[in-house]
Each structure stands twice: as structure tokens, then as C-alpha cells.
Amino acid sequence: MVAYDLSRRSVLRLIGAGGASLIVGCVPLPVKAGKADEQKPLEPNAFVKIDPNGDVTVTISKSDMGQGVRTTFAMIVAEELDADWTKVKVENAKADKVYGGQGTGGSSSTRTMYTKLRKAGATARAMLVAAAAQKWGVEASSCTTSLGKVMHPSGKSATYGELTGAAATLALPTDVPLKSKADFKILGKATGRVDNHDVVTGQAVYGQDVKVPNAVTAVVARTPAFGATLKSFDDSAARKVPGVLDVIKLGSGVAVVGENTWAAISGREALKVDWDLGPNGALDSAELEKRMVAAVGEHQSMPSGAKVVEATFDFPFLAHCTMEPMNATADVRDGTCTVWAPTQAPDGAQGSVARMLGIPAENVVVHTTLLGGGFGRRFSSEFVAEAVEISKAMKRPARVLWTREDDMRHDQYRPMSHHSLKGAVDGSGAPVGWSHQIIWPRSTRAIGGYGNARIPYNINGSGMAEGGADSPIPTGAWRSVEHTQLIPANECFIDELAVAAGKDPYEFRKQFVNDDRLKRVLMAAAEKGDWGKSLPKGWGRGIACFSGYGSCVAHVAEVEVKGDEIKVHRVVAVVDPGMALNPKGVEAQIMGACCDALSTTLKVKVTIEKGGVVEGSFPDYDWLRMGETPKIEIHIMESGETPGGMGEVGYPSVPAAVANAVHAATGKRARRFPIRISELV
Amino acid sequence: MAQYKLNVNGTTKTVEAPADMPLLWALRDLMGLTGTKYGCGISACGACTVLLDNKETRSCQVTVSEVGNKKVTTIEGLSKDGSHPLQKAWVEHDVPQCGYCQSGQIMAAAALLAEKKNPTDADIDEVFNEHVCRCGTYQRIREAIHLAAKGGE
């Protein structure tokens, strides 16, 4: 059924069979003063530009750290624009309020920008259609668009490039119609990344690859312990190293500035620094854990007569260890500053540089490069501040490079945490009590703010409390943030309640889960993951699930325990992303998060000794390798909800699925992560 | 400081550097070939992998004075236009996520294929267990190598 709703500003409205309305037409747009310049591009908003040669440039306001936002955002704009995908290019935005918040994290980029970018593309399309309609003297509503062209049933057609000049003279339409999902041609299709060609030919530009004429390179001698202070330094040998230009005291340490990276690194090796270790010089992980355990308070009471279960879980600090260590380049001159940085928060960096230099934010230009990994690490801007400090002192553009060891020992760590859980099941096998006490380092910004231990199960009177223990270790966001600890603790403990109730852990979850989307993926994971089927002796299967960031997922892990070794053979993931805008992107995120979770469940941790971090590089922070990576099977199960976040949802249930599988294999529980067979109880 | 003649990607280039400067920094800072990445500087991650006479080499572990007449091939020298079978296979399988480690991974794959035309999964594991990818692209790296080994078919 087709209906014309001319009362509403001449918009053609198509009522679909299902009753959903699809607005396919366009508002006839008034012409602004002036004559069309055919060589003028159409730039209706900050996000899209169409050149007279037909090239479409999408400006990406969020940082791409591997999550593929440059590809997804371009797809969203191109979809509503009906662009020819082969003519779409992307360009990173500079820090600017015009884009809204540019901080990239919390799996929020697509969720916050989806509609905004659709409108940006649809606006450009409406103007191109209106320009064509005016040119041809036809109704805009009678025109269609496809692959970068406007067409009319009469046979007339024009490429977008031919229309930019005329379209640019039109007033901006408001309330542009958006496509129906059923008409999507680009979104929902498995699409390769826009940066692939540049990556495989070595042309992709990360922070470290920025070439600024006349720039110096610095590395910084950093504190050996958190809270340590500089007593003195002797730079006489460092200054003799060929290529060393200067040695400067910074807020964060002592910078050795060189003509190139090797000069700076060699100079730092020759630098003698005397540190006062400060108040934390004797602090270690054991002491921090003791403080955390001591901070646990009273649990809420459990129903009388119920079977009570108790457990504790401990998680260590984790480093982000992005493949590209922290770095930034800055050029401070004449009351302005230009920054090139692999940052997750270009606008945050702009603000902090402006405050630092006492200049207006608009005098600070921040260019976001590609990021060689992020995972939350690049939210803070201390590396940008160092580049600015050095450039200011040297009166030249300056690049600061953190060596791998600098990066690992001066991170904003995923906090360590201690969890005390108490729960109960009644005679019928139903969960009737749940109390989760979480102790964070008090330095964690999360204290009092995390409260996100909501459990997706029907348990009356479930509760959670947070507490803090003194710690000087800097902490920050790490992929999946608090869910890296809360969910593994919860999902291991629900397994323990199931066992106490004499029930199968999957059936128990299925019976009491109170989230329909989660229940669907849980059931699908059990099926795809062969839940209940026999396994060889010494093997076990574990299940866990998570709902968050607008998406949900369930994992089944198959492990073999042999001596001291835990071998994960297979992981099955069923994910409901709402809608998979780019299925390849969804798969990559779920796979990557699974690899992260396996690394941190089986392998790596950050250890504190003498107030500093012991681990310095990949030999002692030994990330998952190819040969250790199990078969990871990913099933996408769209619920049709709006697109959910994808960067983080894939992590939290994996550690629990693995720990629960270890229990199935050994009859013993993991209480500490990463899991060591010798520490099972 | 001394002058070193380096044969890089088929062209001889002269650089002035101290004898102990790793090839990595000579490539990146003195020759502007930034496709080769710094990841750890201690041969532990593989991001800086290049070919030296077609052998997989960590450019952070060989100095400019040690290169001699050996032919250095970097990611930029594999092909300029992405037409090398490995580059095509990497795109076909959409391997990169952040992409930072991938030039090292591709160069290691090039060395492997130069030695073994049709590597098994075990052959691939042996080489790539020494390479870190922080995004978890391992499964696709393996598929891309098999694809390139089969001539991209």
C-alpha cells in the first residue's frame, strides 16, 4: 500500500506491508542565494563531503584502534547516501566540538553515532536528489538513487559528482527520511577494512610513523616505583652519545632528546639517575592482596535453612601492552600547538594541552593517527603531555617514544581486585541468596561508581557491595573494564550454586536467566557447543554468558587438563549484536576479545615488587600465541535490536567458561586468575 | 658515526649512523621506511621483521654495520601496489585489525613461503609462535598463508 502524505512538507511516505513507514522521498529544498559552481564539493555537515569527481569522503570522529570504526562509520554514511562503496574514502577528524564527544571507548562509537551518521548521509542524498530534480524539472520524490547516481524514470541520470555544485547551493534539509533496514545494501554485508591496502603495503600511518620536518625524538627515564621522586641525575655521559641533543627534566622523569630514536635510547642508557623510591619502595602484590582481603565486610544474611556456598576470587593488575607503545608528536610554537597522536581521546588531549600551555583549546590542533591497539590505554594523555613539554623546551617539533618496558611498567593498569561471594540454594534447587563484595584498589576511579554487578538471574535479595584498599598503582580502563572481573566471578559462582543445587550448570542458568536475549544465545551456545556430549577423560566443558554494551554473548569452552597444563581446544561463541552492521567486524571483535581473555585467564599478570612493575616485555608478559589459540567458532545471532557495542562484550564470559570447564575436567575450582593448576581448590 | 651502504628494496642507500644502530631505526628514522614497526626492541614480538637475503630477520637485532652486502627487503619492497600474493591474501581474508604487527607477520610469511612452498599448520605455528598479535588475528593469518601458498586460488 502506498500513501501520499502531502500535508507533511511534501514528503512521500511509503507504508510497508508490515505497517512500518518508510520515507523514500525528499523535501524540495529552497535555493540559497548565489549561482551554482559546478566545481564546488557538497559538504552538508561535518561527516561527509562529495567532490565533483564523485569521491565521497567520510570524516571519522572516533579513533580506530583495530575495532574497525573507520570502516563501519563509512558504511553507515555510504548506506544512507546510496554511495558507490568503491568511491568512499575516510579521513580522521581533528579534535573539534563539531563532532560531539570524540572519546572512543565503552563500546559506544557505533551506538552513539549510528543515527547521527545515517542522518549525515541521508542529508547529502536528499540535497543531491533535490538538485537533480530541479535541474530536470521533476518531482524529487520521483527520483531514485543507487551507486552514487540520481535517476529518474524518464531515463535521466546524473552522478553525484555532477550534482555537487548545484546541491551545495541548497538550504540544508531538516528531518531527512532514513532508509528501512530491509533496503540496506551496504550495512549488514561482510565488508573488508578500508585500511587493509595501506596496512599490507606498509603505508598506514600510526603515531610512530608521523613525519614532521625538523622533529627531535625523546625517550624518558622513568620512576622505578610509583610515587618515587627524582633526587639527581648525571647526564655527562648521555650528552656525549652521538646524536643526543639535550637532556631535560620533565614532570614524569628525565627526557633524553636525540636526533633520532637510537640516539635517544642510547643516551638514556648512558644517563645516571638517582631516585628516591618514596613511600612505596617496599610494596609488593602480596601486601596489596592482604589489604584487599582485609577490606571485605559482612555479607548480607542468607535465608535460613538454605544451603550456603562461599567463594573468593582474585584478579591481578593487567597491562594493556598495545602492539604500538605509547608515543606522540607535538609542535609548540607562537601560542599554538599541533599534536599528532594515537589517542582514544583527541578532544581530551586537546583540552589538557590547552590547560597545560595556558592557551585556548582552539589553538591546539590534534590529529589522530591510526592506533596500534588501544584497549582503553590511550584514553589518558600523559604521553601527549610529554611531547608537548619536550617541544616547548626544545623550541622544535618533538616526538616522545615509550619503549616497550616504559609502556608496560608505566601503564594505567586494569586494577587488581578481590571478590568475596556468598550465595544460597533452597531445597528445590533454586538460588535464594546472592551477595558479592568487590574490593578495588582505592586509586581506581571506579570506587563507588562501578556498581555494575547486576546478575541476569532471578535471585531474590541479590546484593553487591564495593570497598577499597589503599594502593598507589595507577589504574584505568582495560577492554571490558570492570566486567573483566565482575562477570568471571559471577559466572564462576553461579556454576558453584548450580552444583550445590545438584543441577547442570547450563540447565540451571537457562531456568533462572531473566534476560530473553541472553537466554537465546545461551541456548544456542549450548547447542553449537555440544553441551552434554561426552568428552575424553581429563577434558571438560564450561559455559558462561554476559549481557552488556547493548549486546549479549554466551561461550562454551572445551579444555583438557594434563599435568600442570590447561589446553583450551575449542571455544564456541554465540553473539547477539542486535544488528551486525559489518559481520566481519563482529567476528573479529569476538575473536580478539576471546584471545585477550585466554591470555589473561591462562597466562599473563602484572606483579608488583618494590613499588614497581616486574614484567617489562613479551618474554615475561607472554601474550597468547598462534599455536596456543584454540579453534574459535563464532555464530552471530541477530535479534534485530539497534546495533550494540562489540569491542568489549566478547571478553567477560570467556574466563568463566574456561574456569568452569577446568572444574568439569578436574572437580576443582579456580580462585585466582590467571589460573594455575597448582592453585586450584 | 660512519657511512653505510645498504641495499634496501633493490636500491642502494647510504646512511650515516653509529655502528651499533639497529637496522630497524636506520630504516625508520634515516630512510623513512616506517612500514617496519618497533614493538619491543628485544626480538620478542616480531613487529620489526624484514628479510635479509630472503631470510626472516628481526631488524631490531641486526645493526647497520652487520648488514653488509645482504639484500634487505621491507614491507614496502614486497610490492608497491599490494600485488604480492601474501598482500592479496591478507586483504582477501581481512586479516588486519589494528594492523600494527601485520607488516612483520607478512614478512615472516614471505620468508616461510620462500623456504616451504606449501607449509602445514605445524610449520606455520613454528614460525608464528614467535610473533605477537595483540588483536588476535592468528586464525586469519594462518588462513591467508594457506591461500597465498595455493597461489591465491
Side-chain angles (χ1 to χ4, degrees):
Chain A
M1 183 176 78
V2 179
Y4 293 91
D5 178 7
L6 295 171
S7 62
R8 209 169 155 271
R9 306 176 60 192
S10 305
V11 171
L12 173 66
R13 181 174 284 233
L14 175 71
I15 309 296
S21 65
L22 162 66
I23 304 166
V24 294
C26 295
V27 185
L29 302 170
V31 182
K32 286 186 294 188
K35 213 180 155 210
D37 171 0
E38 285 184 4
Q39 288 313 303
K40 211 179 160 198
L42 172 63
E43 278 183 280
N45 50 61
F47 298 100
V48 61
K49 182 177 91 166
I50 299 129
D51 281 314
N53 68 3
D55 285 352
V56 174
T57 306
V58 179
T59 302
I60 311 298
S61 60
K62 299 281 184 173
S63 306
D64 204 323
M65 61 199 100
Q67 85 280 35
V69 73
R70 279 161 60 92
T71 306
T72 315
F73 278 16
M75 288 170 73
I76 298 170
V77 172
E79 179 66 69
E80 290 290 349
L81 179 58
D82 265 340
D84 175 355
W85 180 245
T86 63
K87 294 208 153 195
V88 176
K89 297 169 178 169
V90 298
E91 205 174 87
N92 277 2
K94 293 173 195 159
D96 196 318
K97 284 190 181 72
V98 71
Y99 302 107
Q102 290 175 267
T104 309
S107 298
S108 67
S109 296
T110 298
R111 286 188 288 161
T112 55
M113 294 298 292
Y114 180 56
T115 304
K116 206 170 182 177
L117 291 171
R118 288 180 71 188
K119 284 183 180 164
T123 300
R125 176 185 170 277
M127 294 173 84
L128 291 160
V129 167
Q134 280 180 9
K135 191 173 162 188
W136 300 331
V138 300
E139 284 291 316
S141 58
S142 61
C143 298
T144 57
T145 52
S146 176
L147 293 171
K149 275 186 191 168
V150 183
M151 289 158 294
H152 186 260
S154 62
K156 289 190 171 76
S157 88
T159 64
Y160 285 175
E162 290 162 353
L163 297 165
T164 56
T169 64
L170 303 176
L172 274 182
T174 53
D175 199 21
V176 288
L178 297 180
K179 277 186 179 178
S180 157
K181 271 192 214 169
D183 294 325
F184 283 175
K185 297 184 186 82
I186 295 171
L187 290 176
K189 270 214 180 115
T191 304
R193 280 163 200 256
V194 294
D195 294 307
N196 279 345
H197 178 269
D198 284 353
V199 167
V200 304
T201 54
Q203 295 168 54
V205 177
Y206 299 86
Q208 284 189 23
D209 306 331
V210 169
K211 295 180 178 94
V212 178
N214 201 31
V216 295
T217 298
V219 295
V220 179
R222 299 170 192 282
T223 56
F226 298 107
T229 51
L230 180 68
K231 281 207 305 212
S232 64
F233 63 94
D234 171 3
D235 62 8
S236 51
R239 286 179 182 275
K240 286 183 191 134
V241 170
V244 167
L245 299 170
D246 208 345
V247 178
I248 311 167
K249 187 174 174 290
L250 302 181
S252 56
V254 183
V256 179
V257 185
E259 282 171 359
N260 55 56
T261 315
W262 186 243
I265 289 174
S266 305
R268 187 175 72 169
E269 269 169 33
L271 183 72
K272 293 189 188 88
V273 187
D274 194 9
W275 302 98
D276 178 344
L277 289 185
N280 308 310
L283 186 69
D284 62 15
S285 291
E287 165 62 21
L288 286 166
E289 202 172 310
K290 212 184 290 172
R291 291 179 193 175
M292 303 192 92
V293 172
V296 175
E298 286 287 308
H299 276 290
Q300 63 192 66
S301 62
M302 295 289 129
S304 61
K307 189 170 174 184
V308 173
V309 182
E310 287 186 80
T312 62
F313 298 94
D314 285 281
F315 296 88
F317 289 108
L318 291 176
H320 296 77
C321 77
T322 57
M323 285 310 297
E324 179 190 21
M326 297 307 107
N327 68 89
T329 303
D331 185 4
V332 180
R333 64 173 75 203
D334 309 328
T336 69
C337 179
T338 307
V339 169
W340 297 262
T343 171
Q344 285 179 245
D347 42 1
Q350 183 187 40
S352 62
V353 170
R355 283 190 296 277
M356 210 179 136
L357 295 173
I359 59 176
E362 54 268 27
N363 287 12
V364 179
V365 178
V366 178
H367 300 277
T368 304
T369 62
L370 287 177
L371 282 59
F375 315 107
R377 174 62 181 94
R378 292 184 149 102
F379 247 111
S380 61
S381 302
E382 71 274 36
F383 43 94
V384 174
E386 285 180 348
V388 170
E389 224 180 323
I390 296 162
S391 171
K392 193 181 168 190
M394 296 297 294
K395 299 184 170 59
R396 282 172 72 169
R399 183 170 73 104
V400 66
L401 171 70
W402 293 35
T403 62
R404 173 59 58 195
E405 291 79 5
D406 294 340
D407 189 274
M408 203 162 280
R409 296 191 173 126
H410 296 272
D411 202 340
Q412 311 282 338
Y413 301 89
R414 194 284 302 265
M416 69 185 294
S417 61
H418 176 75
H419 304 251
S420 173
L421 285 108
K422 194 169 185 178
V425 290
D426 67 12
S428 73
V432 290
W434 180 283
S435 170
H436 185 167
Q437 289 211 28
I438 305 146
I439 311 300
W440 306 106
R442 202 165 276 132
S443 57
T444 301
R445 61 187 170 80
I447 287 297
Y450 271 172
N452 197 359
R454 182 182 68 86
I455 48 169
Y457 303 103
N458 288 315
I459 305 177
N460 281 338
S462 62
M464 192 214 70
E466 288 179 290
D470 286 338
S471 161
I473 316 299
T475 58
W478 197 102
R479 189 180 204 165
S480 309
V481 203
E482 73 275 19
H483 302 107
T484 60
Q485 296 130 295
L486 298 179
I487 305 308
N490 284 346
E491 282 291 304
C492 284
F493 195 61
I494 200 81
D495 234 62
E496 298 194 38
L497 286 189
V499 171
K503 291 193 174 174
D504 174 87
Y506 159 62
E507 296 293 343
F508 188 76
R509 283 178 174 83
K510 192 175 82 173
Q511 186 179 350
F512 296 106
V513 70
N514 61 13
D515 174 328
D516 289 341
R517 285 177 70 186
L518 194 56
K519 189 172 182 175
R520 281 176 70 235
V521 295
L522 187 65
M523 291 170 69
E527 191 210 324
K528 304 279 186 197
D530 298 319
W531 188 261
K533 291 192 184 156
S534 68
L535 283 171
K537 195 173 180 297
W539 288 49
R541 215 178 257 123
I543 193 164
C545 57
F546 171 61
S547 168
Y549 306 102
S551 299
C552 58
V553 69
H555 283 97
V556 172
E558 257 174 42
V559 311
E560 179 188 8
V561 178
K562 211 174 176 180
D564 278 346
E565 199 200 344
I566 301 168
K567 170 91 183 150
V568 179
H569 286 281
R570 182 184 178 214
V571 177
V572 174
V574 178
V575 57
D576 170 6
M579 182 194 168
L581 295 181
N582 182 1
K584 277 192 184 188
V586 171
E587 278 177 29
Q589 286 306 296
I590 297 300
M591 184 162 305
C594 183
C595 291
D596 279 3
L598 293 172
S599 295
T600 54
T601 301
L602 302 172
K603 300 191 76 185
V604 303
K605 64 173 174 175
V606 159
T607 315
I608 307 299
E609 258 178 36
K610 294 180 184 164
V613 168
V614 175
E615 290 78 10
S617 187
F618 293 107
D620 51 6
Y621 197 72
D622 185 16
W623 208 256
L624 192 80
R625 303 303 170 103
M626 182 184 278
E628 298 166 323
T629 308
K631 193 175 171 200
I632 301 168
E633 302 166 26
I634 297 157
H635 304 273
I636 299 174
M637 195 174 188
E638 290 182 313
S639 58
E641 300 282 330
T642 55
M646 265 304 116
E648 298 169 279
V649 71
Y651 182 105
S653 43
V654 174
V658 170
N660 293 336
V662 168
H663 174 261
T666 64
K668 291 180 177 176
R669 290 290 177 188
R671 293 280 176 251
R672 305 173 64 78
F673 289 80
I675 305 172
R676 304 280 180 254
I677 291 296
S678 60
E679 294 177 339
L680 295 179
V681 296
Chain B
M1 298 281 250
Q3 290 202 336
Y4 298 94
K5 276 188 179 171
L6 302 175
N7 182 337
V8 180
N9 299 333
T11 311
T12 303
K13 292 177 184 177
T14 306
V15 294
E16 194 166 314
D20 65 349
M21 181 187 279
L23 175 61
L24 166 67
W25 298 116
L27 290 170
R28 289 184 55 83
D29 290 354
L30 307 184
M31 292 180 230
L33 293 170
T34 51
T36 304
K37 303 301 183 198
Y38 165 76
C40 70
I42 58 166
S43 192
C45 76
C48 70
T49 300
V50 298
L51 304 183
L52 224 54
D53 279 350
N54 281 329
K55 294 264 186 297
E56 181 186 351
T57 304
R58 303 287 160 105
S59 65
C60 71
Q61 293 300 301
V62 53
T63 64
V64 279
S65 56
E66 291 165 347
V67 175
N69 294 325
K70 288 187 179 133
K71 287 179 185 160
V72 181
T73 312
T74 69
I75 188 75
E76 293 92 343
L78 207 54
S79 88
K80 281 198 168 64
D81 56 359
S83 60
H84 188 279
L86 280 165
Q87 291 169 321
K88 283 160 77 178
W90 244 249
V91 172
E92 175 65 28
H93 275 284
D94 201 32
V95 174
Q97 280 181 228
C98 89
Y100 191 81
C101 73
Q102 298 296 345
S103 37
Q105 309 270 11
I106 292 171
M107 297 316 286
L112 174 64
L113 292 186
E115 212 174 283
K116 288 181 180 164
K117 282 203 163 60
N118 210 349
T120 62
D121 278 354
D123 294 332
I124 295 173
D125 278 359
E126 195 185 329
V127 171
F128 289 87
N129 279 347
E130 304 301 319
H131 287 257
V132 181
C133 169
R134 192 52 190 79
C135 297
T137 65
Y138 299 131
Q139 217 157 285
R140 296 197 299 280
I141 289 174
R142 190 201 302 279
E143 288 162 4
I145 294 169
H146 284 311
L147 179 68
K150 282 186 268 173
E153 286 161 24

